[in-house]
Structure formats: structure tokens, C-alpha cells
Amino acid sequence: MAAKFENSIVRWIDHRLPIFTFMHHELHEYPTPKNLNYWWNFGSLAGIALVIMLISGITLAMHYTPHVDYAFDSVERIMRDVNYGWLIRYIHMNGASFFFIVVYIHIFRGLYFGSYKAPRELLWMLGVVIMLLMMATAFMGYVLPWGQMSFWGATVITNLFSAIPVVGESIVTWLWGGFAVDNPTLNRFFSLHYLLPFVIIGVVVLHLVALHRFGSNNPLGVDIKSAKDQIPFHPYYTVKDAFGLGVFLIVFSAVVFFAPNFFGEPDNYIPANPLVTPAHIVPEWYFLPFYAILRSIPDKLGGVLFMFGSIAVLFILPWLDRSPVRSGQFRPIFKIFFWILVVDVVALTYFGGKPAEGWYVIGSRFATAYYFIHFLLVLPLLSIFETPRQLPKSISEPVLGGGAGLAGAATAPRENDR
Amino acid sequence: MIARIKTLAATALVASALAGPALAAGEVEIPKQDWSFSGVFGTFDRASLQRGFQVYQNVCASCHALKHVAYRNLVQLGYNEDEIKAIAAEKEVRDGPNDEGEMFNRPAKPSDRFVSPFANDEAARASNGGALPPDLSLIVDARVGGANYLYAVLTGYKDAPADVKIPDGMYYNASFTGSQIAMPPPLFPDGVTYGDNTPATIAQQAKDVSTFLAWASEPNLEQSKRTGVMVILFLLVFTGLLYATKRKIWASVH
Amino acid sequence: MADTHQGETRRDFLYIATAAVGAVGAASAVWPFVDQMNPAADVLALASIEFDTATVTEGMAVTVKWRGKPVFVRHRTPDEIEKARAVPLADLPDPAADATRALKPEQLIVVGVCTHLGCVPLGQKPSDPRGDYGGWFCPCHGSHYDTAGRIRKGPAPKNLVVPDYQYVSDTVVRIG
């Protein structure tokens, strides 16, 4: 049904280019479960984080010089001479960390509430693709300031590909454009770091198309059954998301203005030196779980395979967890294992930041083992043996005998006519 | 009172026991100092900045460059245009080529960045027994512990314990990783004479020059904190309003 | 629901206040991203230069780079000054007396950018063509400037721009 617009100009445009109908459809008519909690804020927050990164990144690129002789100095010039350069760079630098915080919370929300289950498998897989693209972008972005960590991070990570049998060495040389990380590497990383965010936008659009096909999952994990269960996205979730954004910006500003180097490594304020490796090379915190998995396998190729495997299991997750119940709220045993997984990933993050010696190695091996056991063993078995609690009939009706879910008559604010 | 001190001591013991294992072999614990620029409302102490600049000029500058800082930036320390011109003009920079195609030396201008003591890293190494004196423009950002670390190293020169052998050209420094440092003790009591009659003890000089170098690393720190306070106050109001709006809009949903 | 008229007013006020505060916030957040494109501190530091005119001998001209543009410093001969002064103002497309063109008559300082479309006129080197009026000649579209840098013939609408400058000593000028 075509939307009716009062404004004649809007009507004129919409008749020829139905963007207003589209927006009306996706924002106003788009039925959203009325029971989404604050964990559902992180999706839109991730989108806003992407926009913040794009704007700050494009402005930084106006002043940055991708050349080994000038890169470090051009960043310092941004910090010291460019108007508000310090602010924009600190926004970009910390924005990366916050983007990952938001996305990781978004992912764990999906894990807990079973948002990857049918019919949202592709939605989930597209999300994993976005995460991979974000990782590639963040990695290449970290190389650009051309500090010690930039250089050695680039060296270590690109060397991962040398683990590939036969062609590994040629691939690494190809990635570098030389025989070590050098100017050609910096130039292509800058080019790709600028490009990939736009690829991310493309995948985000697909992510949203897939989302709008069946709408949001919800904390109860039951589908929308009637108009009583749903509310229009706007204004209910726009204002809720805006409030969440406000809270996010407060935390973000606190770091940007008062502890801008909190997530950073002091070594990256030393210009890159190909002849001296810093004593402790640590990747950025958001790579630490994967770095811990990489180091916990005492074999070069094995480590690389397990690291990529840790993301690959996420791709097949919808087929590992066969339980028909989506929400972890109704899965008493799953719930326990979910929290073990959270602790496990936190532990991996911790071990990844510690030197690979003594107890840390043993700890990270156990943590790695559990990570894979959780996805490959625990989830498939749970789907067979776990008895879920009884599901509510619908979002607006409580579980039989459940009590106070429904207080007063719920008025669906808007009839949905689809 | 005594009970409180005991609790404090106990807390300190527990804290140090916890902090202990976090330090890997060869690393040294860096005690925290009081800095004028720490905290949410912290600002650089101008007098300390000027004294620290004096220490840098008289002591550090003969070996350590400060290449990301420009003479014009000294305005922030409270110097006026003529003073900065005079400070800059003490140094010569290589410029050119001129119309004859020759490179030439000219006095530095306020728009120039601090002139480095050596033409390149190799020259710096050659003059310093093979050790490269690092550029100091980012030293506070580039070291774990920041200004505290700098202060600890500058005040950390001691006589080596009997069982430690220090090779020629190295010095014992309790706060430096590995306890051996190639930099000779730079500070001496009254090694500089402060214009404001502050007693120039080693600790005072170390504190002042660390403050100056903290400014050199983050010259925008004050502006950042000032802006930050305003931004966060604004966001608190705005987020509060959004919360109220959200409550209003959601009031009819059950 | 007790949706009184008063309640509605209060609600509308809340919405308007929130939107207004949000708009203020968005506008202030935009400024740093706009201002970053303005000249940076190191660029502004070079916005004024000092030049010793004693290095330019009579009849010679020197080009100095200032704010990314050439500045022509010409030590004019008495003959050239005389020629510039003799022109009736009515004959000039952009009338300006010679006295307004230079602080010291023998030292003419103008920005060497043609006021037509921004080319750099010829006339600095003795071998250059100086146009019909002995000043500068712009080869792009044929504008002729006289010995005071004033436009005399051709498509350029204005005289060569005299930059802000002052003498900081007898011979040293600060441009900008």
C-alpha cells in the first residue's frame, strides 16, 4: 500500500522516486517486537560507530601521508598543527576500540538469544562477514601511523600467511610488495583501509535487508503472533536507540578526552624501526582472543588454522545448535554454558595480552580447547539432551501460570495492515 | 588513627603482592608522583614548564632532539613573541638552496621546529658511544609509566650494588630496565640556575623537565580536558532529556 | 489515561527541548570536522615572511614565495618611477596613484598573480618580455601591467595586488 503524504512536494517526489514510501515502510510500518531489551541497542550503535569511523577517517586522510618517511610525522602534524586534529585522531583511534566493544556485545547478544537460528542464518553469517572485514580494516589502519607496533604487528600478522604450504612465502612477498614490510606495504594498506569500510557498508545493507525480511528476534525468542506483540520502529526504537547513543557517547567522550591512550601501546609512539623489535609485541585488545588461540597451538600452520577456525565455527553455528528454542532464557543448561563461553573469551583476551610463557600458555590452551568444545560439542549435544523450559504463547501473553507479564490492556499503538 | 595506618599498610602489602607478579623479570616498579596536569581538571604548571624548558635547553638538548615541537609552540609556556624569536635565533638551521644553488645556514625562526643536535641518527650514535639518544617529543607517551617513568629514571642514578658489575660507558640506574643505562647522569644539584629562585635540586629539575616533556608529548592536553568537561556535561543533559522523552513515548506500551 | 491538555503541552515541550538540544549538539560536533580543513598552525606560522630588500639592486627584481604564491619585489629605476607617476589616472582601467602602490617608491612589492585567471606574469628576468608598458606581461591571455603593477591592457580587471607589508628595519620588510 502506498503511503499518503500531506506535503505535495513529498508526494511529487515519492511518485517518481518512492524513497518516502520506503522510509515509511522500513521505519514506521516495520513491525518490531515490543519487548526488545537494551541489549538490542547495540546493532544500531554499531551502525553509528561505523559512521563515526568513516567521518573521522576521511578527515584524517586529508592530512595523512602514506609514505614510510612521512607517515609518522604526518600523524604528529595532525596531533599538533591541524585544527582539532588531535580530537579527530583520538576519535578515530578510540572509535575503533569502541566499535569492537559494541560489535562484540552485539554478537554475544545474538549468541544468547539464538538470533542465528532459522530463518535468520544468512543474517548471522553476513554479520560474521562484517566482523571479518572490520578486523582486516582495523589491522591495516593500525599500520598507518607507522610506529613500532604498526610495523611489527604488520610483520607478524602478514607472516601468518607464510604458514600456508608451498605458496606461503610467495603470498607473503605478494602482500608486502617487497621483501619486508615497507613503503609498498604501507601504500596498499592505506588504499585498502580506505576501501574496506565502504565494502562494510555494502554488507551492512545486506545485513539490514536480511533483518527486515523476518524482523528482529526478541528476548523471548518467539515470533510475533499478533498486532499486540509489536510496535512500529519509529518513534519507539528510534528514541530508545537515541538514548542508548547518548550513554555510549558519554563513555566514549570520557575516554577520548581524558584517557585517549588507554587502549593504545606506548611503543607505537616510537617511529617504526625495521632493525629493532619491541620487547612485548601485543596486538590491539580486540584481537587478543584470536591471538591467544594462535599462540596456544605449538605448530605454525596449526595455529593459523585454529585461529581462522575460531571464526569459521561462527559461520556454521546455525547448524551446530539445532535446538528449536531460540532464547537462552528458556534453556537452563545452555545458559550456564553461555556464561562459561563469555568467561572463556575474556580469559583468552587476558592470555593473549600476556607473554607466551609458563602458566599463561597452559591457561590459553585450556581456554582454546573450551572455545572449540563449546561450539563443536556442547551446542550439538545440548540440542539433543536439554529440556527447555516452557515457552510463552506469544510476546504479550505470559507463560501458563507465569504471572505478571501482562499488566493492563496492551494497546497496539498502530494497526499493521500487512 | 593507628588502626587506619595499619589498614593502609595491610592494603599496601596486598596491593604490592598483587602487583608483584605482574612485573616481568628485569622490570622495575615506577612510583607515582603528583603532577599538576593529572586529573580531570589538571593543567600544566606554567612556572614548572618554563623551568623544565630551561633544563631541557641547558642539559638535554645537547644530545636529545625535540623535532615535533616548534619554537612557536613555546607561546603555550607563557613566552612572548620576542622571547621566542630570541630563543629560536640561538640555533642555526640548514636551508636552501639559494639562488646560487648552495645550501646555507640561517638562524632558526619561530615557525621552525626545534633544531636537532645531530644531523642524523648515525651522527648521534657516533657521538654517543653507539647509543642513540631518543627524540624527546613523544617520550612521555612512548614509555610505560609516562612522566612517572621519566622522573624515576632521572632520579634513579645510584652507586651500583657490590655484586653488580657495570661495563665501561654504562651507568647504574635502579629505575631503568636492566639497571644499566648508557646516558651519563644528566642532572646535578644547581646544574641550572632557575630564574625564579626555585632551589634546583635533582628532584626539582627532574620534576620540571618531566612536566615540560609531558607538555611536549601532549600539547593539547589542557584543551582536551576543557573540551571534555563541556562535552560530557552537555551529553549528560542531552541523555537525560532523551531518557525522559523515551519514558514519555513508551508510557503507553505495556 | 489522564491525558489532559496540560499533560500534552508538557510533553510537546519535552520533545522540542530534546530536539533543540540535540540540534545544538550536532552543530557543535560538526565544527571540528569543518575547521580541520582551514589552514593548520604550521601553515599559519608561515603566513608572514621577512625579506631583506637590500639584496635587490636597482633595476633588478626578485621573486619571493609567500603563502604559496610568488611575490615580486622590484627595485625600480628613477625612470620607471617617473613613467608610472606621469600616467593620468583617467587612462587606467583600475585607477590607483603610484604613491598608493609602494611604501618606498623605489621598492615595488606586488603579488605576482595575474588578476585575470591566476597565471604568473613574465617580467622578472631581464630577458623576459615586459609588455607594452615596461612592467609585466601575462602570457596566458595577454595582460599588460605597467611599472607600478597596474593593469593597462588586456583582459585582467584589476591591478596586481599589493600585499600587506611593513618595514621592520630600514631595508627588511615583513610581508603578511
Side-chain angles (χ1 to χ4, degrees), chain A residues 198-264:
Chain A
F198 296 96
V199 179
I200 293 179
I201 290 182
V203 185
V204 166
V205 169
L206 295 179
H207 193 66
L208 287 177
V209 171
L211 172 72
H212 282 222
R213 186 81 177 89
F214 294 100
S216 293
N217 182 30
N218 64 76
L220 296 175
V222 294
D223 289 329
I224 290 176
K225 301 249 165 61
S226 68
K228 275 185 182 177
D229 295 347
Q230 66 191 37
I231 45 177
F233 190 86
H234 179 77
Y236 293 96
Y237 286 108
T238 36
V239 72
K240 195 175 177 182
D241 283 347
F243 168 62
L245 173 66
V247 175
F248 168 83
L249 287 179
I250 290 172
V251 183
F252 184 47
S253 308
V255 174
V256 164
F257 290 107
F258 297 103
N261 291 309
F262 176 75
F263 293 107

Side-chain angles (χ1 to χ4, degrees), chain A residues 177-319:
Chain A
F179 304 102
V181 173
D182 208 336
N183 200 45
T185 328
L186 179 61
N187 269 284
R188 63 192 59 182
F189 277 18
F190 177 60
S191 166
L192 293 173
H193 180 73
Y194 207 118
L195 167 73
L196 283 186
F198 296 96
V199 179
I200 293 179
I201 290 182
V203 185
V204 166
V205 169
L206 295 179
H207 193 66
L208 287 177
V209 171
L211 172 72
H212 282 222
R213 186 81 177 89
F214 294 100
S216 293
N217 182 30
N218 64 76
L220 296 175
V222 294
D223 289 329
I224 290 176
K225 301 249 165 61
S226 68
K228 275 185 182 177
D229 295 347
Q230 66 191 37
I231 45 177
F233 190 86
H234 179 77
Y236 293 96
Y237 286 108
T238 36
V239 72
K240 195 175 177 182
D241 283 347
F243 168 62
L245 173 66
V247 175
F248 168 83
L249 287 179
I250 290 172
V251 183
F252 184 47
S253 308
V255 174
V256 164
F257 290 107
F258 297 103
N261 291 309
F262 176 75
F263 293 107
E265 278 295 321
D267 274 311
N268 222 27
Y269 280 107
I270 303 171
N273 181 351
L275 304 180
V276 182
T277 311
H280 299 292
I281 310 192
V282 219
E284 288 283 84
W285 70 267
Y286 37 80
F287 290 134
L288 290 177
F290 306 99
Y291 193 59
I293 292 174
L294 170 77
R295 292 195 308 184
S296 67
I297 309 294
D299 173 71
K300 191 173 174 182
L301 180 59
V304 175
L305 289 178
F306 270 81
M307 189 180 75
F308 285 111
S310 66
I311 294 165
V313 292
L314 295 178
F315 271 108
I316 55 168
L317 174 62
W319 295 275

